[in-house]
Amino acid sequence: MAALDEQAERLGLKPGMGIADARAMHPGIEIVEADPAADRRLLESLADWCDRYTPLVALDGADGLFLDITGCAHLFGGEKALLDDLLARFFHQGFDVRAGLASTPGAAWATARFRSPEIVEPGGEERALGPLPLAALRLEPATVSGLESVGLRNAGSVLRSPRAPLARRFGAGLMARIDQALGRIEEAISPRLPVAPLSVERHLAEPIGLMEDIERLVLLLATSLKADLERRGEGARALQLLLFRVDGMVSRIGVGTSRPLRAPDLIARLFHERLTALEDALDAGYGFDLVRLSVLAAASFDMVQTDLAGEVCGNDEDLALFADRVGARLGADVVQKPVLVASHLPERAVAAMPFAAADAAMPARAKHSPLAASERPIRLLAHPEPVEVVAAEMPEGPPARFRWRRVLYDVVRAEGPERIAPEWWREEADAPTRDYFRVEDGAGRRYWLFRRGFYGTGDTGPRWFMQGLFA
């Protein structure tokens, strides 16, 4: 058996006992098949809910949580008030929780499992651990059996024993567990989620559930957040809204921005779009009693220059805001922007990326490369299409007439060639060179053609392709 309820424990059943043995003792017991995946999901949801106390929440095995409340207890009226509030809220949600509070993770772990609820004062770890069983030191079963075989049956007897003989017989693992419990060596807790650099929150006396109330709170929180961003000289690039429901559920709603942002009204508009998109899926239940707005990513906020009329010079903020609002409503991939990538072949030199990530993804050197300033078609074909050249100036000239998609075109003007060598690190060593021409037909339509290879080389001669259309 993996776990027992209180009634099963009173009947004398033990974890690890076989079902047949348990039924032999008590035929009327009820057996429920274990579901470790569901238990894990429940534990992670409880960890989400515990973010209301501290952002430093870590999973502890299959049935426990570590909360690092350093610097957070005063927000709840002290350590005892925080512990009482946590236990009361879990009780009202239907959970039987045991908790302990100490200055070391090892002592807190032992207290939660064997002396709950209790607060161990700093320096009192050894006294608190003394009467507890050996399992309170988080030892392996083999180590516990070995200690019991030499007469050490509780944690206090181990703590009072000379260290050298224990280390020789039971190894460094036992010493590490003792030192971690007593605070002699530091034990790090790895939070399950990254800690936001900036957060503001509002505890509510009465839970809210209306979308208008949530949006009003977002604006208030964004206003509070603005002062912190200004002090750091930064703007938000990714924000997250956390809505803590009174029954323990937590909703996380995130938005991204294509430019550093700290104006409260603009942040509120982004969350308005996101909340509108999630209105049917967002279940307020009995209401939210805690709302938190966090900055997950920030960037330097550059002040913009205005002209004498008060207009922003070279402003593209309206476009960025439009892309952010559409992305918040429909998804970040809906609005995309072409960016240059590290390739000089036209079909590889441009990639479409989400608008918000486009500027960060484009290398700085690519923005000022000769390719960025050269003339390129309005429409670039996804793949070059074969062209049949009926007549061409030889050996290096442009075509005089060509057929593309079964239509014959006469060239009246041409510019070029622009020679682009193959990418030898991607292609074969003897890959042919490309010569590009900008040509115009009698109706004024302009095309971008290229010749791959040269006349007089190979058995088949060069081939022509259509790369794009200018107009």
Side-chain angles (χ1 to χ4, degrees):
M1 291 187 289
L4 305 169
D5 61 10
E6 292 182 353
Q7 187 176 357
E9 290 177 348
R10 287 195 295 268
L11 294 176
L13 303 181
K14 301 293 183 182
M17 180 182 291
I19 294 178
D21 296 335
R23 286 197 182 277
M25 296 173 58
H26 303 282
I29 62 173
E30 182 179 355
I31 305 296
V32 179
E33 186 176 354
D35 188 348
D39 293 341
R40 184 71 173 187
R41 290 194 299 270
L42 174 61
L43 187 63
E44 290 179 349
S45 68
L46 296 179
D48 277 343
W49 181 82
C50 285
D51 276 354
R52 67 188 302 124
Y53 298 104
T54 172
L56 301 174
V57 180
L59 301 180
D60 176 35
D63 62 351
L65 298 173
F66 273 123
L67 278 67
D68 186 348
I69 62 169
T70 305
C72 301
H74 70 282
L75 301 174
F76 301 88
E79 294 178 347
K80 186 178 186 309
L82 187 153
L83 189 63
D84 292 342
D85 182 75
L86 183 146
L87 291 174
R89 289 179 181 271
F90 270 122
F91 174 78
H92 290 302
Q93 294 177 30
F95 293 100
D96 180 18
V97 176
R98 296 171 176 83
L101 199 154
S103 57
T104 67
W109 188 95
T111 305
R113 283 163 172 77
F114 298 99
R115 298 187 64 166
S116 173
E118 183 172 329
I119 298 177
V120 179
E121 297 296 331
E125 292 83 11
E126 185 170 356
R127 183 174 61 257
L129 292 171
L132 302 184
L134 294 174
L137 296 176
R138 298 179 294 172
L139 303 176
E140 298 292 335
T143 304
V144 172
S145 299
L147 290 170
E148 290 177 343
S149 67
V150 296
L152 301 176
R153 301 189 180 279
N154 58 38
S157 61
V158 175
L159 297 177
R160 292 188 297 269
S161 299
R163 292 175 61 89
L166 290 177
R168 283 196 301 270
R169 181 160 185 173
F170 300 102
L174 173 60
M175 298 296 101
R177 284 305 193 190
I178 293 174
D179 292 339
Q180 287 174 347
L182 300 181
R184 294 170 183 166
I185 61 176
E186 185 176 356
E187 181 179 0
I189 293 179
S190 300
R192 56 186 294 270
L193 297 175
V195 179
L198 286 175
S199 292
V200 289
E201 63 184 35
R202 181 69 61 90
H203 291 263
L204 305 173
E206 293 292 335
I208 63 172
L210 296 178
M211 202 64 65
E212 295 80 4
D213 295 334
I214 296 174
E215 292 183 11
R216 193 178 303 113
L217 269 178
V218 170
L219 181 59
L220 292 175
L221 294 175
T223 303
S224 301
L225 201 60
K226 180 182 178 182
D228 294 328
L229 290 170
E230 288 177 342
R231 186 177 64 253
R232 296 162 63 106
E234 295 177 337
R237 289 298 307 272
L239 298 114
Q240 187 178 67
L241 179 67
L242 282 80
L243 303 173
F244 293 82
R245 219 165 68 180
V246 293
D247 61 354
M249 297 298 293
V250 181
S251 298
R252 298 176 181 270
I253 303 170
V255 298
T257 68
S258 53
R259 301 287 189 276
L261 195 65
R262 62 189 184 200
D265 57 330
L266 299 183
I267 293 176
R269 289 167 68 181
L270 290 182
F271 276 105
H272 167 75
E273 301 292 347
R274 190 63 184 147
L275 289 169
T276 301
L278 297 174
E279 187 170 4
D280 295 335
L282 185 62
D283 183 10
Y286 293 105
F288 304 107
D289 64 343
L290 173 62
V291 179
R292 179 183 299 158
L293 182 61
S294 301
V295 176
L296 301 184
S300 177
F301 189 90
D302 298 326
M303 303 302 293
V304 295
Q305 179 66 43
T306 60
D307 58 20
L308 296 178
E311 300 292 335
V312 177
C313 301
N315 183 29
D316 58 353
E317 294 299 320
D318 291 341
L319 176 60
L321 180 60
F322 168 78
D324 293 341
R325 293 182 63 185
V326 173
R329 176 72 72 95
L330 303 176
D333 295 336
V334 172
V335 180
Q336 297 193 339
K337 180 180 180 180
V339 297
L340 296 177
V341 297
S343 176
H344 54 263
L345 293 182
E347 63 269 23
R348 297 176 182 169
V350 178
M353 298 194 64
F355 192 93
D359 289 342
M362 185 185 297
R365 63 180 182 275
K367 299 177 183 179
H368 307 288
S369 67
L371 182 61
S374 59
E375 185 177 359
R376 290 295 181 257
I378 296 176
R379 179 189 175 192
L380 193 70
L381 301 180
H383 302 284
E385 298 183 5
V387 168
E388 179 186 354
V389 172
V390 179
E393 298 180 12
M394 299 190 51
E396 303 292 339
R401 178 180 296 177
F402 65 91
R403 180 178 286 106
W404 175 52
R405 295 181 178 178
R406 300 182 180 180
V407 178
L408 189 63
Y409 299 90
D410 290 319
V411 176
V412 296
R413 294 182 182 86
E415 299 177 54
E418 176 189 350
R419 180 160 295 178
I420 297 180
E423 295 180 340
W424 54 267
W425 57 94
R426 288 183 175 181
E427 303 178 13
E428 298 178 357
D430 57 349
T433 299
R434 298 182 182 184
D435 281 345
Y436 280 83
F437 295 88
R438 295 188 293 273
V439 302
E440 181 178 328
D441 65 7
R445 294 183 291 262
R446 301 180 68 211
Y447 308 91
W448 202 33
L449 306 175
F450 73 87
R451 181 185 62 238
R452 188 168 67 183
F454 301 103
Y455 288 100
T457 60
D459 298 332
T460 60
R463 297 182 61 192
W464 289 84
F465 294 87
M466 176 71 68
Q467 185 79 69
L469 308 174
F470 285 95

